[in-house]
Amino acid sequence: MNKKMKMMLIVPMLHQGGFERVCVATARLLMPYYEVCIVLFDSHDIAYDIEGIPVIDIHLGVKKGLAGKVFRVIQRSLKLWQLKRKLRPDIAYSFGSTANIVNVLSGKCGKIWVGLRSYMDMEDEGKIRLFVRRADRILCCARQIEDELRKKYGCNKAVTLYNPLDMADLQAKARAEAPKLPWKEEGPIIASMGREDEVKGFWHLIKAFALVKRKVENARLMIIGDGTFTIYKELARALGVEEDVYFTGMKRNPFPYLQRAAVYVLTSYREGFPNALVEAMALGLPAISTDCPTGPAEILEECYGILLPNMSPEVNCDAGVITEEERDLARRVTDLLEDSGKMAHYREMSLKRARDFTTENYVELIRQWGCENA
């Protein structure tokens, strides 16, 4: 019987976030084929189910200030160097820019894989050149990132690996519990999902929603994700829609909430591969998204959802300022909510497209690359 290869997955934390979720999913999917462990820099406030997954916490959380951050990188790299030599992984696969730096600086012991999970990772040319020079493979969450690495850096190590989606598991989780919503009356719910972060463009969504309410009076807006959302709550209050906007906070299982929605809207001005968009589509939600770099255009293509021009990154929470791009978003949402035939069409297209992002394909590619030059 062949001995399993060892796979070390490296991630800063397992707090709520896209690449953190992918890390845990990767561990579970690969356990039948690899001896897997997850290495964390800090295990504080874990948001995902890690039962049964070997986890190593090196207890080196965030330090403030430039000097503190540099010192942390050195500490983490040294600790990971020690772990690599103790555990002898065949592959050390890191998620996110912070973990990628530590992975490549901690030296080789088996293959080094770095995962570029966001287009923001491409902004630091110094880091990218370091990854290109020292990593054995660069796993990109979107084709656009792979193409840029090949053209700009001459990198033949780059490959595209879309995030895995287990539709059956996700749909089962959506049915697992009844969400507690603040509204007694029925009405279409517009949903978006993500942590409190300017990159998500939630001020655009709230302003557009206020316009939608003028046409669809019983519409609601639900934003699922971690954060206080103070400035966005103030914006909703100033727009007179405070009672109709619900910030759920972090949910270990967000899918029962997501399933209650009628439409999913993504207003990010920058993404990597927006997991939440595909997850919403897997629950049959019609999708409207900005054409931000990267991910939405590859997911929605020309027929699977409604793709809008990217929106301004300049935060503007002045309730008296409504931009044309926000008016356009409101028109598209309103048009969809008021057209039952179009809603049914995009529900069908969402489900069809979500089936393309299978866990089987994800695992097959990782196993294929893992065996190369083994």
Side-chain angles (χ1 to χ4, degrees):
M1 184 176 179
N2 293 332
K3 186 177 180 181
K4 289 182 180 179
M5 295 175 67
K6 295 181 179 180
M7 173 80 76
M8 176 185 285
L9 305 178
I10 306 158
V11 66
M13 297 178 68
L14 287 177
H15 193 47
Q16 190 175 50
F19 69 74
E20 293 89 344
R21 183 179 301 169
V22 173
C23 178
V24 174
T26 300
R28 294 206 179 281
L29 290 168
L30 294 183
M31 286 177 76
Y33 312 102
Y34 290 87
E35 188 178 323
V36 179
C37 72
I38 295 178
V39 175
L40 294 173
F41 299 159
D42 184 355
S43 62
H44 175 70
D45 202 13
I46 291 177
Y48 301 103
D49 178 13
I50 57 171
E51 185 178 355
I53 303 173
V55 173
I56 300 170
D57 182 1
I58 64 174
H59 302 288
L60 292 170
V62 175
K63 280 273 190 180
K64 294 183 178 179
L66 179 59
K69 290 177 180 178
V70 172
F71 184 56
R72 264 298 188 249
V73 169
I74 296 170
Q75 286 181 306
R76 290 168 174 173
S77 299
L78 178 59
K79 183 63 177 179
L80 191 61
W81 177 83
Q82 295 170 338
L83 273 176
K84 285 182 177 181
R85 273 138 193 82
K86 178 181 178 181
L87 301 178
R88 312 299 297 182
D90 295 286
I91 300 167
Y93 175 15
S94 47
F95 294 77
S97 181
T98 303
N100 288 338
I101 292 170
V102 173
N103 192 13
V104 299
L105 292 181
S106 59
K108 292 181 77 68
C109 182
K111 299 174 184 176
I112 293 176
W113 290 6
V114 301
L116 299 186
R117 315 311 306 174
S118 169
Y119 191 72
M120 287 184 286
D121 293 342
M122 299 294 291
E123 294 178 349
D124 191 325
E125 290 193 15
K127 288 181 184 178
I128 295 299
R129 294 189 186 280
L130 177 66
F131 301 156
V132 169
R133 187 170 66 251
R134 304 195 66 167
D136 295 290
R137 191 171 295 279
I138 301 178
L139 282 66
C140 309
C141 63
R143 184 74 61 187
Q144 183 179 337
I145 296 175
E146 178 190 342
D147 290 345
E148 188 168 327
L149 284 172
R150 291 183 178 274
K151 292 174 184 176
K152 186 174 181 178
Y153 298 93
C155 178
N156 61 3
K157 304 172 182 178
V159 293
T160 298
L161 182 67
Y162 292 127
N163 293 342
L165 176 71
D166 186 336
M167 284 186 68
D169 179 66
L170 187 151
Q171 290 168 354
K173 288 179 178 176
R175 298 189 297 267
E177 57 186 270
K180 297 179 181 179
L181 301 180
W183 309 296
K184 294 181 180 179
E185 300 82 8
E186 291 293 325
I189 298 173
I190 302 159
S192 193
M193 189 156 69
R195 67 190 181 282
E196 182 179 7
D197 192 317
E198 289 181 3
V199 76
K200 302 298 181 182
F202 287 134
W203 71 92
H204 290 304
L205 179 58
I206 294 169
K207 289 182 178 182
F209 171 70
L211 298 178
V212 171
K213 284 284 292 180
R214 297 177 184 178
K215 295 288 186 70
V216 186
E217 295 182 1
N218 61 344
R220 309 283 191 268
L221 174 63
M222 177 169 59
I223 296 176
I224 307 166
D226 187 39
T228 61
F229 293 94
T230 302
I231 62 170
Y232 301 114
K233 291 175 181 177
E234 292 174 356
L235 175 60
R237 187 178 304 114
L239 288 165
V241 294
E242 178 185 10
E243 298 300 319
D244 298 307
V245 180
Y246 177 38
F247 298 90
T248 71
M250 187 185 77
K251 297 295 178 183
R252 288 183 180 271
N253 179 11
F255 305 117
Y257 292 83
L258 197 57
Q259 185 169 246
R260 287 293 303 274
V263 175
Y264 188 84
V265 179
L266 186 149
T267 51
S268 298
Y269 59 81
R270 191 166 47 195
E271 282 282 353
F273 182 93
N275 295 329
L277 177 60
V278 179
E279 290 165 346
M281 294 171 74
L283 294 176
L285 272 65
I288 299 176
S289 176
T290 54
D291 185 13
C292 65
T294 54
E298 293 180 41
I299 294 167
L300 299 182
E301 293 186 337
E302 296 181 358
C303 61
Y304 295 109
I306 298 170
L307 194 65
L308 304 178
N310 202 7
M311 305 182 84
S312 170
E314 298 299 323
V315 179
N316 188 330
C317 288
D318 182 345
V321 178
I322 307 292
T323 65
E324 185 54 39
E325 59 191 1
E326 291 157 355
R327 295 182 188 280
D328 184 45
L329 172 59
R331 284 192 290 267
R332 302 303 288 269
V333 173
T334 301
D335 179 58
L336 188 57
L337 290 176
E338 292 184 332
D339 189 331
S340 59
K342 188 175 290 187
M343 285 282 286
H345 169 74
Y346 280 115
R347 277 196 292 268
E348 181 180 343
M349 296 306 288
S350 284
L351 288 167
K352 181 178 179 181
R353 182 55 170 155
R355 295 187 187 100
D356 292 335
F357 300 97
T358 64
T359 56
E360 291 80 8
N361 186 55
Y362 183 82
V363 171
E364 181 182 346
L365 287 172
I366 288 180
R367 294 183 70 194
Q368 174 188 318
W369 297 327
C371 290
E372 291 177 359
N373 303 318

